[in-house]
Amino acid sequence: MNSASPQSGRDLAVERVERLSDADLADLAEATDAAIIEGGGFGWVEPQGRAALERHFRGVLLVPERELFVARLDGHVVGSALLVRPPRNNEAQAFAATLTHAYVAPYARGFGLARMMVGKAEERAAALGHRVINLDVRETQATAIALFESLGYLHWGTHPYYARVRGQTVAGHFYTKTLEPGRGRSTGELIDGAA
């Protein structure tokens, strides 16, 4: 998914990647640390540094049930998201995938890359046969919450003791969204049990 933003003249792209160049890993580490410093989830509270983040992302690419999506601004990686599929032995939940660690670095926001990245992950999940996508987010991430709600995610619950951030307990919000496949029975028919 590539496009040029007419207002900015910037090159915007989102892609699913199976490998990353050294330059992409360096960009991704920088973007991740910037998002962590700004307070964007990801589970980390303190910046991790390039070496640790490069090891992390190399590991992500080795896990068969994880698919990494990256957002690019003018060719540079500025954010990422993970689509996590259930393991093969979890047949009961094989219809659902999880979106996690979705962020765009603060210096690359305002171009619609987060929306593009979530859309690309949803398209991929539906193409793989998933009918539901789930995610969770800290209550302090108002921008992410607004994005997910604007994309049709349904808030179904709040965990009051979700995370500890700089000595404070933070609640977490849980969201779900149904996905429609390109063909076959609708998700509503399957979930509601209609014949």
Side-chain angles (χ1 to χ4, degrees):
M1 181 180 292
N2 290 335
S3 67
S5 174
Q7 295 84 3
S8 68
R10 310 293 292 267
D11 182 32
L12 310 176
V14 172
E15 62 186 289
R16 182 173 59 92
V17 295
E18 295 179 359
R19 64 183 64 93
L20 292 164
S21 70
D22 289 344
D24 285 345
L25 278 167
D27 286 348
L28 188 51
E30 179 183 325
T32 303
D33 268 346
I36 293 167
I37 290 166
E38 193 261 345
F42 214 94
W44 284 305
V45 176
E46 300 297 329
Q48 298 300 298
R50 181 174 171 175
L53 290 170
E54 286 182 5
R55 281 191 307 273
H56 168 77
F57 285 108
R58 281 189 181 105
V60 164
L61 293 172
L62 295 175
V63 181
E65 293 84 13
R66 293 179 179 244
E67 296 194 7
L68 180 64
F69 294 82
V70 297
R72 293 181 186 273
L73 178 62
D74 297 332
H76 294 280
V77 176
V78 295
S80 74
L82 277 177
L83 180 66
V84 181
R85 299 182 319 270
R88 290 183 184 157
N89 68 327
N90 189 350
E91 291 179 4
Q93 293 179 332
F95 68 96
T98 302
L99 180 65
T100 186
H101 300 165
Y103 66 94
V104 171
Y107 52 81
R109 294 185 184 153
F111 297 103
L113 284 166
R115 183 174 294 276
M116 287 171 61
M117 194 163 44
V118 172
K120 187 82 163 178
E122 289 175 357
E123 289 171 13
R124 176 68 175 158
L128 291 169
H130 299 294
R131 300 302 185 107
V132 174
I133 193 163
N134 299 306
L135 64 87
D136 53 272
V137 61
R138 290 184 207 155
E139 71 176 349
T140 55
Q141 296 175 288
T143 302
I145 290 169
L147 170 69
F148 294 131
E149 290 180 355
S150 76
L151 291 171
Y153 283 80
L154 174 66
H155 176 232
W156 63 265
T158 299
H159 186 314
Y161 314 111
Y162 176 79
R164 293 281 296 166
V165 179
R166 294 183 175 82
Q168 299 291 325
T169 301
V170 177
H173 296 298
F174 292 80
Y175 288 86
T176 191
K177 181 178 181 179
T178 57
L179 303 172
E180 291 300 327
R183 57 193 161 108
R185 290 177 37 188
S186 76
T187 298
E189 288 176 358
L190 291 176
I191 291 174
D192 296 336

